[in-house]
Amino acid sequence: MTIKRLKFCINNEWTESATSKYMPVMNPSLGVQIAEAPCCTQREVDAAVAAAAAAFPGWSNTPIPQRIQLMFRFKALLDQHLDELATLLATEMGKVLAEAKGDVLKAIEVVECACASHYLMQGDTCMNVAAGYDTVSYREPLGVFVGIAPYNFPAMIPMGWMLPFAITTGNTFVLKAASMVPQTSMRMLELLIEAGLPKGVVNLVTCSRVEADSLLTNPLVRGVTFVGSTAVGLHIYSTAAGAGKRVQALCEAKNHALVMEDCVLERTVAGIINSTYGCAGQRCMALPVVCVQESIADEFVALLKQKAQELKLGPAYLADSQLGPLVSAAQKQSVENWIARGVEEGAQLVLDGRGVKVPGGENGYFVGPTIFDHVKPGHAIGDEEIFGPVTSVKRVKDFEEGLAIMNGNRFANGSCIYTSSGYHAREFAKRTHGGMVGINVGIPVPFSIFPFTGHKDSFFGDLHAMGKDGVAFFTETKAVTSVWFTEEDAKKKVSTWDGTLTRN
């Protein structure tokens, strides 16, 4: 098999790196290498930032309608190439085709929302803040932003959460694509260039953590948006913020569901199956922990096991596959180590996904659905992010105990409740620590006009991704106060503002 050597992009030109170090890009369904991504040199990474900085004056002065028209053309090309992008994503990341298509569609959704960013960029006005004085405010772009993307959503996160709002608001951008899955972002950037992207507005590199760290303190960079682990997110937040940059760091999660005895059980289990095992559990809005009321716990666990065993494991690029591989051999090993740890901790292993046999994917990185029951407080498998198809069941007496267990976790990306009780639904929405809350919805990711609002150790920063927060993150406010002279005032040589809201 030919190994494709990938390039980096500066000023719309794809260039082979001067590096001698390349990082493997695998097909996780087969366990074979399909490409290699350059570990760009420090000079190349600096050149990407310099190109973005040079492009900023012209791009920020480009009328907003023209910037938005670029997004319309980009959206049309994404629609046209949807199936191609989904196949590419499934091949390099391991999501099954339906999930890969959903990843691209979520990116398109944010592009569509960015087409309305001129409404969100509008400022405020007020006449006569003092006699003869008016004040208006504007939202202006800041300059160069850096996006550091994870491997689990190669389309939605870099080309959805990060890029569209950044450039439609007038900023320029450097994307550090995930080295394990760079081809999806690269192909989408090719389409953006085809849509008419001016040179330097978006630049793309792949590199090691050493070069990525330099982006956090580069004086030409004004802000950093990151999605990944909590340890790295906290490092990025503290380092970049300490260098005077804006930062949003979206990090790990351990989302919990609270399943009440009055839930619609079949529908509840179906929702949890999709939420837990979709993308092989490799998403920060997965649902790996279920606090289930003791009165229905036996029936719930039996039905969950039955439905999990019915999932069809298979290579990601086959249309009938329902559960694909993990992204890498290292991630497979990590998940299997977590399963072993759960057994050591004393949780009851109801369904073991280790050692599964997948026809056509014998060398792929597959772990089947795994279920632990009787997970207790202090069990790491129920408290820490595993990022794999592993469910932990915590049995609880009632609503209050379940809510307390959920809120005791240090992560708070999302949470949900399955119930028929309006009272419990409202109480849960009000009292849960989760930033995104589902009422009988397992993955409560909001539509892109709303921000993605993780809390606690799931997020570091002040302004979240997407929605009004997203526009605010990529812009800053300028307030302008003017005095209006009458002809008589001009003759009297009226002075400027005296700081007391009066005229001298």
Side-chain angles (χ1 to χ4, degrees), residues 282-318:
Q282 297 172 111
R283 53 188 177 192
C284 63
M285 286 301 288
L287 192 54
V289 184
V290 182
C291 296
V292 58
Q293 204 163 359
E294 289 174 346
S295 57
I296 61 167
D298 288 343
E299 184 181 5
F300 170 84
V301 171
L303 186 56
L304 184 70
K305 178 181 179 181
Q306 174 193 326
K307 296 299 182 181
Q309 289 176 313
E310 292 172 1
L311 290 173
K312 179 176 175 56
L313 277 72
Y317 45 80
L318 297 183

PDB file of all heavy atoms in Angstrom, residues 282-318:
ATOM      1  N   GLN A 282     -15.821   7.726  21.945  1.00  0.00           N
ATOM      2  CA  GLN A 282     -14.739   8.712  21.856  1.00  0.00           C
ATOM      3  C   GLN A 282     -15.308  10.113  21.587  1.00  0.00           C
ATOM      4  O   GLN A 282     -15.051  10.725  20.550  1.00  0.00           O
ATOM      5  CB  GLN A 282     -13.761   8.320  20.743  1.00  0.00           C
ATOM      6  CG  GLN A 282     -13.064   6.999  21.002  1.00  0.00           C
ATOM      7  CD  GLN A 282     -12.251   6.524  19.812  1.00  0.00           C
ATOM      8  OE1 GLN A 282     -11.030   6.502  19.844  1.00  0.00           O
ATOM      9  NE2 GLN A 282     -12.930   6.162  18.742  1.00  0.00           N
ATOM     10  N   ARG A 283     -16.073  10.602  22.525  1.00  0.00           N
ATOM     11  CA  ARG A 283     -16.593  11.963  22.428  1.00  0.00           C
ATOM     12  C   ARG A 283     -16.850  12.477  23.835  1.00  0.00           C
ATOM     13  O   ARG A 283     -17.236  11.718  24.728  1.00  0.00           O
ATOM     14  CB  ARG A 283     -17.861  12.034  21.572  1.00  0.00           C
ATOM     15  CG  ARG A 283     -18.974  11.092  21.960  1.00  0.00           C
ATOM     16  CD  ARG A 283     -20.098  11.121  20.932  1.00  0.00           C
ATOM     17  NE  ARG A 283     -21.158  10.179  21.231  1.00  0.00           N
ATOM     18  CZ  ARG A 283     -22.126   9.843  20.375  1.00  0.00           C
ATOM     19  NH1 ARG A 283     -22.164  10.395  19.187  1.00  0.00           N
ATOM     20  NH2 ARG A 283     -23.062   8.978  20.713  1.00  0.00           N
ATOM     21  N   CYS A 284     -16.662  13.771  23.996  1.00  0.00           N
ATOM     22  CA  CYS A 284     -16.795  14.354  25.328  1.00  0.00           C
ATOM     23  C   CYS A 284     -18.250  14.484  25.751  1.00  0.00           C
ATOM     24  O   CYS A 284     -18.524  14.821  26.900  1.00  0.00           O
ATOM     25  CB  CYS A 284     -16.095  15.716  25.391  1.00  0.00           C
ATOM     26  SG  CYS A 284     -16.809  16.956  24.297  1.00  0.00           S
ATOM     27  N   MET A 285     -19.173  14.216  24.841  1.00  0.00           N
ATOM     28  CA  MET A 285     -20.586  14.190  25.221  1.00  0.00           C
ATOM     29  C   MET A 285     -21.130  12.769  25.222  1.00  0.00           C
ATOM     30  O   MET A 285     -22.345  12.562  25.159  1.00  0.00           O
ATOM     31  CB  MET A 285     -21.398  15.088  24.292  1.00  0.00           C
ATOM     32  CG  MET A 285     -21.187  16.572  24.569  1.00  0.00           C
ATOM     33  SD  MET A 285     -21.627  17.074  26.254  1.00  0.00           S
ATOM     34  CE  MET A 285     -23.410  16.974  26.182  1.00  0.00           C
ATOM     35  N   ALA A 286     -20.248  11.782  25.281  1.00  0.00           N
ATOM     36  CA  ALA A 286     -20.697  10.397  25.463  1.00  0.00           C
ATOM     37  C   ALA A 286     -21.369  10.262  26.824  1.00  0.00           C
ATOM     38  O   ALA A 286     -21.269  11.141  27.682  1.00  0.00           O
ATOM     39  CB  ALA A 286     -19.513   9.444  25.341  1.00  0.00           C
ATOM     40  N   LEU A 287     -22.031   9.149  27.032  1.00  0.00           N
ATOM     41  CA  LEU A 287     -22.782   8.932  28.278  1.00  0.00           C
ATOM     42  C   LEU A 287     -22.293   7.645  28.941  1.00  0.00           C
ATOM     43  O   LEU A 287     -22.940   6.600  28.882  1.00  0.00           O
ATOM     44  CB  LEU A 287     -24.274   8.845  27.972  1.00  0.00           C
ATOM     45  CG  LEU A 287     -25.242   8.903  29.142  1.00  0.00           C
ATOM     46  CD1 LEU A 287     -25.012  10.136  29.993  1.00  0.00           C
ATOM     47  CD2 LEU A 287     -26.679   8.873  28.622  1.00  0.00           C
ATOM     48  N   PRO A 288     -21.130   7.684  29.588  1.00  0.00           N
ATOM     49  CA  PRO A 288     -20.511   6.463  30.098  1.00  0.00           C
ATOM     50  C   PRO A 288     -20.982   6.017  31.478  1.00  0.00           C
ATOM     51  O   PRO A 288     -20.593   4.937  31.923  1.00  0.00           O
ATOM     52  CB  PRO A 288     -19.030   6.832  30.133  1.00  0.00           C
ATOM     53  CG  PRO A 288     -19.035   8.308  30.420  1.00  0.00           C
ATOM     54  CD  PRO A 288     -20.244   8.849  29.724  1.00  0.00           C
ATOM     55  N   VAL A 289     -21.766   6.847  32.176  1.00  0.00           N
ATOM     56  CA  VAL A 289     -22.205   6.488  33.529  1.00  0.00           C
ATOM     57  C   VAL A 289     -23.715   6.641  33.628  1.00  0.00           C
ATOM     58  O   VAL A 289     -24.277   7.670  33.211  1.00  0.00           O
ATOM     59  CB  VAL A 289     -21.528   7.363  34.599  1.00  0.00           C
ATOM     60  CG1 VAL A 289     -21.949   6.891  35.996  1.00  0.00           C
ATOM     61  CG2 VAL A 289     -20.015   7.324  34.467  1.00  0.00           C
ATOM     62  N   VAL A 290     -24.356   5.628  34.205  1.00  0.00           N
ATOM     63  CA  VAL A 290     -25.805   5.668  34.401  1.00  0.00           C
ATOM     64  C   VAL A 290     -26.095   5.420  35.874  1.00  0.00           C
ATOM     65  O   VAL A 290     -25.747   4.369  36.426  1.00  0.00           O
ATOM     66  CB  VAL A 290     -26.525   4.611  33.543  1.00  0.00           C
ATOM     67  CG1 VAL A 290     -28.038   4.717  33.748  1.00  0.00           C
ATOM     68  CG2 VAL A 290     -26.159   4.769  32.077  1.00  0.00           C
ATOM     69  N   CYS A 291     -26.705   6.407  36.515  1.00  0.00           N
ATOM     70  CA  CYS A 291     -27.221   6.238  37.877  1.00  0.00           C
ATOM     71  C   CYS A 291     -28.669   5.787  37.747  1.00  0.00           C
ATOM     72  O   CYS A 291     -29.529   6.574  37.343  1.00  0.00           O
ATOM     73  CB  CYS A 291     -27.133   7.557  38.657  1.00  0.00           C
ATOM     74  SG  CYS A 291     -25.456   8.137  38.931  1.00  0.00           S
ATOM     75  N   VAL A 292     -28.936   4.547  38.058  1.00  0.00           N
ATOM     76  CA  VAL A 292     -30.264   3.995  37.833  1.00  0.00           C
ATOM     77  C   VAL A 292     -30.917   3.662  39.170  1.00  0.00           C
ATOM     78  O   VAL A 292     -30.266   3.137  40.077  1.00  0.00           O
ATOM     79  CB  VAL A 292     -30.202   2.760  36.908  1.00  0.00           C
ATOM     80  CG1 VAL A 292     -29.308   1.670  37.490  1.00  0.00           C
ATOM     81  CG2 VAL A 292     -31.587   2.211  36.613  1.00  0.00           C
ATOM     82  N   GLN A 293     -32.180   3.965  39.280  1.00  0.00           N
ATOM     83  CA  GLN A 293     -32.910   3.721  40.519  1.00  0.00           C
ATOM     84  C   GLN A 293     -32.986   2.213  40.789  1.00  0.00           C
ATOM     85  O   GLN A 293     -33.251   1.403  39.885  1.00  0.00           O
ATOM     86  CB  GLN A 293     -34.312   4.337  40.429  1.00  0.00           C
ATOM     87  CG  GLN A 293     -34.919   4.641  41.774  1.00  0.00           C
ATOM     88  CD  GLN A 293     -36.092   5.613  41.692  1.00  0.00           C
ATOM     89  OE1 GLN A 293     -36.458   6.096  40.614  1.00  0.00           O
ATOM     90  NE2 GLN A 293     -36.691   5.909  42.835  1.00  0.00           N
ATOM     91  N   GLU A 294     -32.719   1.829  42.008  1.00  0.00           N
ATOM     92  CA  GLU A 294     -32.572   0.413  42.365  1.00  0.00           C
ATOM     93  C   GLU A 294     -33.789  -0.427  41.985  1.00  0.00           C
ATOM     94  O   GLU A 294     -33.658  -1.594  41.617  1.00  0.00           O
ATOM     95  CB  GLU A 294     -32.312   0.282  43.863  1.00  0.00           C
ATOM     96  CG  GLU A 294     -30.934   0.765  44.289  1.00  0.00           C
ATOM     97  CD  GLU A 294     -30.755   0.763  45.802  1.00  0.00           C
ATOM     98  OE1 GLU A 294     -31.787   0.637  46.515  1.00  0.00           O
ATOM     99  OE2 GLU A 294     -29.607   0.904  46.275  1.00  0.00           O
ATOM    100  N   SER A 295     -34.973   0.165  42.054  1.00  0.00           N
ATOM    101  CA  SER A 295     -36.200  -0.602  41.808  1.00  0.00           C
ATOM    102  C   SER A 295     -36.279  -1.147  40.387  1.00  0.00           C
ATOM    103  O   SER A 295     -37.003  -2.125  40.140  1.00  0.00           O
ATOM    104  CB  SER A 295     -37.422   0.272  42.097  1.00  0.00           C
ATOM    105  OG  SER A 295     -37.374   1.451  41.311  1.00  0.00           O
ATOM    106  N   ILE A 296     -35.559  -0.546  39.438  1.00  0.00           N
ATOM    107  CA  ILE A 296     -35.598  -1.037  38.054  1.00  0.00           C
ATOM    108  C   ILE A 296     -34.208  -1.435  37.556  1.00  0.00           C
ATOM    109  O   ILE A 296     -34.026  -1.730  36.373  1.00  0.00           O
ATOM    110  CB  ILE A 296     -36.199   0.013  37.092  1.00  0.00           C
ATOM    111  CG1 ILE A 296     -35.343   1.296  37.093  1.00  0.00           C
ATOM    112  CG2 ILE A 296     -37.649   0.309  37.432  1.00  0.00           C
ATOM    113  CD1 ILE A 296     -35.678   2.247  35.947  1.00  0.00           C
ATOM    114  N   ALA A 297     -33.222  -1.468  38.449  1.00  0.00           N
ATOM    115  CA  ALA A 297     -31.836  -1.647  38.018  1.00  0.00           C
ATOM    116  C   ALA A 297     -31.598  -2.992  37.339  1.00  0.00           C
ATOM    117  O   ALA A 297     -30.925  -3.070  36.300  1.00  0.00           O
ATOM    118  CB  ALA A 297     -30.897  -1.483  39.206  1.00  0.00           C
ATOM    119  N   ASP A 298     -32.145  -4.076  37.900  1.00  0.00           N
ATOM    120  CA  ASP A 298     -31.917  -5.400  37.304  1.00  0.00           C
ATOM    121  C   ASP A 298     -32.476  -5.452  35.887  1.00  0.00           C
ATOM    122  O   ASP A 298     -31.822  -5.949  34.958  1.00  0.00           O
ATOM    123  CB  ASP A 298     -32.555  -6.494  38.159  1.00  0.00           C
ATOM    124  CG  ASP A 298     -31.810  -6.730  39.466  1.00  0.00           C
ATOM    125  OD1 ASP A 298     -30.639  -6.305  39.576  1.00  0.00           O
ATOM    126  OD2 ASP A 298     -32.407  -7.327  40.388  1.00  0.00           O
ATOM    127  N   GLU A 299     -33.709  -4.965  35.735  1.00  0.00           N
ATOM    128  CA  GLU A 299     -34.349  -4.985  34.420  1.00  0.00           C
ATOM    129  C   GLU A 299     -33.581  -4.080  33.443  1.00  0.00           C
ATOM    130  O   GLU A 299     -33.379  -4.443  32.282  1.00  0.00           O
ATOM    131  CB  GLU A 299     -35.803  -4.511  34.549  1.00  0.00           C
ATOM    132  CG  GLU A 299     -36.600  -4.582  33.263  1.00  0.00           C
ATOM    133  CD  GLU A 299     -38.027  -4.090  33.425  1.00  0.00           C
ATOM    134  OE1 GLU A 299     -38.374  -3.609  34.531  1.00  0.00           O
ATOM    135  OE2 GLU A 299     -38.788  -4.167  32.444  1.00  0.00           O
ATOM    136  N   PHE A 300     -33.147  -2.935  33.932  1.00  0.00           N
ATOM    137  CA  PHE A 300     -32.398  -2.001  33.084  1.00  0.00           C
ATOM    138  C   PHE A 300     -31.096  -2.623  32.591  1.00  0.00           C
ATOM    139  O   PHE A 300     -30.777  -2.581  31.403  1.00  0.00           O
ATOM    140  CB  PHE A 300     -32.111  -0.711  33.852  1.00  0.00           C
ATOM    141  CG  PHE A 300     -31.154   0.217  33.149  1.00  0.00           C
ATOM    142  CD1 PHE A 300     -31.604   1.095  32.178  1.00  0.00           C
ATOM    143  CD2 PHE A 300     -29.793   0.194  33.452  1.00  0.00           C
ATOM    144  CE1 PHE A 300     -30.723   1.937  31.515  1.00  0.00           C
ATOM    145  CE2 PHE A 300     -28.902   1.023  32.795  1.00  0.00           C
ATOM    146  CZ  PHE A 300     -29.368   1.900  31.829  1.00  0.00           C
ATOM    147  N   VAL A 301     -30.310  -3.196  33.486  1.00  0.00           N
ATOM    148  CA  VAL A 301     -29.009  -3.763  33.111  1.00  0.00           C
ATOM    149  C   VAL A 301     -29.190  -4.917  32.128  1.00  0.00           C
ATOM    150  O   VAL A 301     -28.428  -5.044  31.155  1.00  0.00           O
ATOM    151  CB  VAL A 301     -28.243  -4.216  34.362  1.00  0.00           C
ATOM    152  CG1 VAL A 301     -26.993  -5.009  33.976  1.00  0.00           C
ATOM    153  CG2 VAL A 301     -27.858  -3.016  35.211  1.00  0.00           C
ATOM    154  N   ALA A 302     -30.197  -5.760  32.347  1.00  0.00           N
ATOM    155  CA  ALA A 302     -30.440  -6.884  31.440  1.00  0.00           C
ATOM    156  C   ALA A 302     -30.778  -6.392  30.038  1.00  0.00           C
ATOM    157  O   ALA A 302     -30.275  -6.927  29.035  1.00  0.00           O
ATOM    158  CB  ALA A 302     -31.569  -7.757  31.990  1.00  0.00           C
ATOM    159  N   LEU A 303     -31.624  -5.380  29.950  1.00  0.00           N
ATOM    160  CA  LEU A 303     -32.015  -4.858  28.642  1.00  0.00           C
ATOM    161  C   LEU A 303     -30.845  -4.117  27.976  1.00  0.00           C
ATOM    162  O   LEU A 303     -30.639  -4.218  26.764  1.00  0.00           O
ATOM    163  CB  LEU A 303     -33.215  -3.920  28.789  1.00  0.00           C
ATOM    164  CG  LEU A 303     -33.852  -3.401  27.487  1.00  0.00           C
ATOM    165  CD1 LEU A 303     -34.278  -4.565  26.585  1.00  0.00           C
ATOM    166  CD2 LEU A 303     -35.041  -2.496  27.802  1.00  0.00           C
ATOM    167  N   LEU A 304     -30.059  -3.391  28.768  1.00  0.00           N
ATOM    168  CA  LEU A 304     -28.895  -2.692  28.227  1.00  0.00           C
ATOM    169  C   LEU A 304     -27.906  -3.696  27.634  1.00  0.00           C
ATOM    170  O   LEU A 304     -27.374  -3.489  26.527  1.00  0.00           O
ATOM    171  CB  LEU A 304     -28.224  -1.870  29.324  1.00  0.00           C
ATOM    172  CG  LEU A 304     -27.036  -0.995  28.889  1.00  0.00           C
ATOM    173  CD1 LEU A 304     -27.512   0.157  28.034  1.00  0.00           C
ATOM    174  CD2 LEU A 304     -26.287  -0.463  30.119  1.00  0.00           C
ATOM    175  N   LYS A 305     -27.666  -4.789  28.350  1.00  0.00           N
ATOM    176  CA  LYS A 305     -26.758  -5.817  27.847  1.00  0.00           C
ATOM    177  C   LYS A 305     -27.289  -6.427  26.555  1.00  0.00           C
ATOM    178  O   LYS A 305     -26.534  -6.615  25.581  1.00  0.00           O
ATOM    179  CB  LYS A 305     -26.574  -6.902  28.906  1.00  0.00           C
ATOM    180  CG  LYS A 305     -25.672  -8.041  28.456  1.00  0.00           C
ATOM    181  CD  LYS A 305     -25.543  -9.115  29.538  1.00  0.00           C
ATOM    182  CE  LYS A 305     -24.650 -10.261  29.064  1.00  0.00           C
ATOM    183  NZ  LYS A 305     -24.532 -11.326  30.101  1.00  0.00           N
ATOM    184  N   GLN A 306     -28.568  -6.706  26.523  1.00  0.00           N
ATOM    185  CA  GLN A 306     -29.172  -7.315  25.327  1.00  0.00           C
ATOM    186  C   GLN A 306     -28.997  -6.404  24.113  1.00  0.00           C
ATOM    187  O   GLN A 306     -28.553  -6.853  23.045  1.00  0.00           O
ATOM    188  CB  GLN A 306     -30.664  -7.571  25.571  1.00  0.00           C
ATOM    189  CG  GLN A 306     -31.416  -8.057  24.337  1.00  0.00           C
ATOM    190  CD  GLN A 306     -32.923  -7.990  24.512  1.00  0.00           C
ATOM    191  OE1 GLN A 306     -33.448  -8.187  25.615  1.00  0.00           O
ATOM    192  NE2 GLN A 306     -33.632  -7.708  23.426  1.00  0.00           N
ATOM    193  N   LYS A 307     -29.313  -5.135  24.269  1.00  0.00           N
ATOM    194  CA  LYS A 307     -29.235  -4.204  23.145  1.00  0.00           C
ATOM    195  C   LYS A 307     -27.783  -3.937  22.735  1.00  0.00           C
ATOM    196  O   LYS A 307     -27.482  -3.773  21.543  1.00  0.00           O
ATOM    197  CB  LYS A 307     -29.930  -2.894  23.501  1.00  0.00           C
ATOM    198  CG  LYS A 307     -31.427  -3.020  23.747  1.00  0.00           C
ATOM    199  CD  LYS A 307     -32.154  -3.525  22.512  1.00  0.00           C
ATOM    200  CE  LYS A 307     -33.651  -3.611  22.746  1.00  0.00           C
ATOM    201  NZ  LYS A 307     -34.366  -4.141  21.540  1.00  0.00           N
ATOM    202  N   ALA A 308     -26.881  -3.919  23.700  1.00  0.00           N
ATOM    203  CA  ALA A 308     -25.472  -3.698  23.377  1.00  0.00           C
ATOM    204  C   ALA A 308     -24.916  -4.865  22.564  1.00  0.00           C
ATOM    205  O   ALA A 308     -24.128  -4.667  21.631  1.00  0.00           O
ATOM    206  CB  ALA A 308     -24.662  -3.493  24.656  1.00  0.00           C
ATOM    207  N   GLN A 309     -25.322  -6.078  22.919  1.00  0.00           N
ATOM    208  CA  GLN A 309     -24.842  -7.257  22.196  1.00  0.00           C
ATOM    209  C   GLN A 309     -25.376  -7.319  20.771  1.00  0.00           C
ATOM    210  O   GLN A 309     -24.807  -8.021  19.925  1.00  0.00           O
ATOM    211  CB  GLN A 309     -25.243  -8.527  22.950  1.00  0.00           C
ATOM    212  CG  GLN A 309     -24.470  -8.746  24.246  1.00  0.00           C
ATOM    213  CD  GLN A 309     -24.962  -9.952  25.026  1.00  0.00           C
ATOM    214  OE1 GLN A 309     -26.171 -10.129  25.226  1.00  0.00           O
ATOM    215  NE2 GLN A 309     -24.032 -10.787  25.479  1.00  0.00           N
ATOM    216  N   GLU A 310     -26.443  -6.603  20.493  1.00  0.00           N
ATOM    217  CA  GLU A 310     -27.024  -6.607  19.151  1.00  0.00           C
ATOM    218  C   GLU A 310     -26.305  -5.644  18.195  1.00  0.00           C
ATOM    219  O   GLU A 310     -26.527  -5.695  16.984  1.00  0.00           O
ATOM    220  CB  GLU A 310     -28.509  -6.230  19.224  1.00  0.00           C
ATOM    221  CG  GLU A 310     -29.367  -7.279  19.917  1.00  0.00           C
ATOM    222  CD  GLU A 310     -30.799  -6.815  20.158  1.00  0.00           C
ATOM    223  OE1 GLU A 310     -31.118  -5.664  19.765  1.00  0.00           O
ATOM    224  OE2 GLU A 310     -31.588  -7.588  20.718  1.00  0.00           O
ATOM    225  N   LEU A 311     -25.443  -4.776  18.724  1.00  0.00           N
ATOM    226  CA  LEU A 311     -24.717  -3.838  17.868  1.00  0.00           C
ATOM    227  C   LEU A 311     -23.765  -4.606  16.949  1.00  0.00           C
ATOM    228  O   LEU A 311     -23.066  -5.522  17.380  1.00  0.00           O
ATOM    229  CB  LEU A 311     -23.924  -2.844  18.715  1.00  0.00           C
ATOM    230  CG  LEU A 311     -24.731  -1.815  19.506  1.00  0.00           C
ATOM    231  CD1 LEU A 311     -23.809  -1.016  20.413  1.00  0.00           C
ATOM    232  CD2 LEU A 311     -25.483  -0.876  18.561  1.00  0.00           C
ATOM    233  N   LYS A 312     -23.731  -4.192  15.700  1.00  0.00           N
ATOM    234  CA  LYS A 312     -22.868  -4.852  14.728  1.00  0.00           C
ATOM    235  C   LYS A 312     -21.531  -4.130  14.647  1.00  0.00           C
ATOM    236  O   LYS A 312     -21.461  -2.978  14.201  1.00  0.00           O
ATOM    237  CB  LYS A 312     -23.528  -4.880  13.343  1.00  0.00           C
ATOM    238  CG  LYS A 312     -22.670  -5.537  12.273  1.00  0.00           C
ATOM    239  CD  LYS A 312     -23.393  -5.630  10.950  1.00  0.00           C
ATOM    240  CE  LYS A 312     -22.486  -6.173   9.854  1.00  0.00           C
ATOM    241  NZ  LYS A 312     -21.881  -7.474  10.170  1.00  0.00           N
ATOM    242  N   LEU A 313     -20.468  -4.778  15.091  1.00  0.00           N
ATOM    243  CA  LEU A 313     -19.130  -4.233  14.958  1.00  0.00           C
ATOM    244  C   LEU A 313     -18.636  -4.487  13.537  1.00  0.00           C
ATOM    245  O   LEU A 313     -18.893  -5.560  12.967  1.00  0.00           O
ATOM    246  CB  LEU A 313     -18.161  -4.875  15.948  1.00  0.00           C
ATOM    247  CG  LEU A 313     -18.141  -4.299  17.370  1.00  0.00           C
ATOM    248  CD1 LEU A 313     -19.389  -4.677  18.131  1.00  0.00           C
ATOM    249  CD2 LEU A 313     -16.892  -4.790  18.107  1.00  0.00           C
ATOM    250  N   GLY A 314     -17.931  -3.515  12.980  1.00  0.00           N
ATOM    251  CA  GLY A 314     -17.410  -3.703  11.637  1.00  0.00           C
ATOM    252  C   GLY A 314     -16.547  -2.542  11.209  1.00  0.00           C
ATOM    253  O   GLY A 314     -16.523  -1.485  11.855  1.00  0.00           O
ATOM    254  N   PRO A 315     -15.814  -2.710  10.115  1.00  0.00           N
ATOM    255  CA  PRO A 315     -15.000  -1.622   9.581  1.00  0.00           C
ATOM    256  C   PRO A 315     -15.838  -0.373   9.365  1.00  0.00           C
ATOM    257  O   PRO A 315     -16.993  -0.444   8.932  1.00  0.00           O
ATOM    258  CB  PRO A 315     -14.488  -2.190   8.260  1.00  0.00           C
ATOM    259  CG  PRO A 315     -14.454  -3.674   8.476  1.00  0.00           C
ATOM    260  CD  PRO A 315     -15.652  -3.954   9.338  1.00  0.00           C
ATOM    261  N   ALA A 316     -15.264   0.765   9.686  1.00  0.00           N
ATOM    262  CA  ALA A 316     -16.029   2.005   9.709  1.00  0.00           C
ATOM    263  C   ALA A 316     -16.627   2.368   8.361  1.00  0.00           C
ATOM    264  O   ALA A 316     -17.689   2.993   8.297  1.00  0.00           O
ATOM    265  CB  ALA A 316     -15.127   3.145  10.199  1.00  0.00           C
ATOM    266  N   TYR A 317     -15.982   1.983   7.289  1.00  0.00           N
ATOM    267  CA  TYR A 317     -16.415   2.416   5.962  1.00  0.00           C
ATOM    268  C   TYR A 317     -17.488   1.517   5.347  1.00  0.00           C
ATOM    269  O   TYR A 317     -17.924   1.747   4.225  1.00  0.00           O
ATOM    270  CB  TYR A 317     -15.214   2.495   5.017  1.00  0.00           C
ATOM    271  CG  TYR A 317     -14.287   1.310   5.108  1.00  0.00           C
ATOM    272  CD1 TYR A 317     -14.579   0.116   4.460  1.00  0.00           C
ATOM    273  CD2 TYR A 317     -13.129   1.384   5.866  1.00  0.00           C
ATOM    274  CE1 TYR A 317     -13.744  -0.977   4.566  1.00  0.00           C
ATOM    275  CE2 TYR A 317     -12.272   0.288   5.977  1.00  0.00           C
ATOM    276  CZ  TYR A 317     -12.589  -0.890   5.319  1.00  0.00           C
ATOM    277  OH  TYR A 317     -11.758  -1.970   5.435  1.00  0.00           O
ATOM    278  N   LEU A 318     -17.940   0.491   6.092  1.00  0.00           N
ATOM    279  CA  LEU A 318     -19.034  -0.351   5.617  1.00  0.00           C
ATOM    280  C   LEU A 318     -20.359   0.198   6.119  1.00  0.00           C
ATOM    281  O   LEU A 318     -20.503   0.534   7.300  1.00  0.00           O
ATOM    282  CB  LEU A 318     -18.848  -1.794   6.086  1.00  0.00           C
ATOM    283  CG  LEU A 318     -17.601  -2.521   5.557  1.00  0.00           C
ATOM    284  CD1 LEU A 318     -17.583  -3.966   6.050  1.00  0.00           C
ATOM    285  CD2 LEU A 318     -17.541  -2.479   4.037  1.00  0.00           C
TER     286      LEU A 318
END
